Amino acid sequence: MAKKTSTDDPLAPVTLAVGQEDLLIDRAVAQVVAAARAADPDTDVRELAPDALQPGTLAELVSPSLFAERKVVVVRAAQDLSADTVKDVKAYLDAPAEEITLVLVHAGGAKGKGLLDAARKVGAREVACPKMTKPADRLAFVRTEFRTAGRSATPEACQSLVDAIGSDLRELASACAQLAADVDGTIDEAVVARYYTGRAEATGFEVADLAVTGRTAEALERLRWALAVGQPLPGITFALASGVRAIGKLATAPRGARPGDLARELGMPPWKIDRVRQQMRGWSGDGVAAALRAVAEADAAVKGASADPAYALEKAVVTIARAARSRR
């Protein structure tokens, strides 16, 4: 999923790993180290935190050794380097040493932007490692994982896996690897359910799917199970909000538009457009408004505004399920 700019050679003199997604950062660093050790099995790898890279330290690390060995120097949290050390790094960027690969891990914000700009100016290889906060990003990540593994997975299977695992990218990557290794043929929704059915039934997205179709009793049952197995409360409110907002978006979309056009406009995959169309049959505009208010109240409750956030979630589920039948 990491997007590369500049050169794609992992042995480029300087690599920038920019972002805050730990898994992608670790993969970017591991790729450089693997390439260096493929070129020279005796490659020396040094990883340094900002406080370990004092003025003059970099010059010592990149100075030629007696045996002319290859080195990989990884600087973590480069945005936190001291001003004097940044001067050293900038000077090195202008004249990088042979057989040395410098990896700068940078959060990508405004802090330490001067160093980031300097590395980009000299043409550093860049690997984007953004935090994946949106469900659509995690869905794209899962698709890429299967594609990289040379495996075919249906859109429904990818979505089910995201619903089952949640937002932890490492767990998603591990699940993709397990399915790719264990399953022959196309990975479909039934396969995901067989491996992860216990977790899938306990997620906020399962609760939301039941609530937005008006199945109050089932939604409450799944909600209580999700709470029992320790699903994060903010994740449940996020799923409820996502379900209701999807219905609101589609309800206000131009009538007669093709699923592909709607998908681009609304930021949903075409198969989800079809699912939301089925879910929205009993909804009215007032119902969407009432459901969104209920979700907002539940969100405030789980963030500390109520002594009983579980009750607030149950109330939101009941309100959403009732709103789903407001036109029936």
Side-chain angles (χ1 to χ4, degrees), residues 233-250:
L233 303 190
I236 297 174
T237 55
F238 175 82
L240 293 172
S242 296
V244 175
R245 285 179 186 141
I247 288 169
K249 284 181 180 180
L250 195 56

Side-chain angles (χ1 to χ4, degrees), residues 238-310:
F238 175 82
L240 293 172
S242 296
V244 175
R245 285 179 186 141
I247 288 169
K249 284 181 180 180
L250 195 56
T252 56
R255 294 187 178 276
R258 294 178 300 177
D261 295 334
L262 284 175
R264 285 189 293 274
E265 182 176 342
L266 302 181
M268 301 180 195
W271 65 266
K272 188 171 182 179
I273 297 288
D274 294 335
R275 176 187 285 185
V276 176
R277 273 180 171 157
Q278 294 174 356
Q279 293 174 339
M280 65 182 286
R281 288 173 182 166
W283 285 82
S284 66
D286 289 341
V288 171
L292 288 174
R293 284 195 298 272
V295 171
E297 291 171 3
D299 186 56
V302 304
K303 292 177 179 176
S306 170
D308 192 354

Side-chain angles (χ1 to χ4, degrees), residues 23 35 55 57 70 111 122 132 195 199 205 267 269 287 289-290 297 322:
L23 173 65
T57 304
R70 182 180 291 275
K111 186 178 182 181
V122 299
M132 295 190 182
Y195 274 74
R199 292 186 66 166
F205 288 100
E297 291 171 3
R322 186 178 298 142

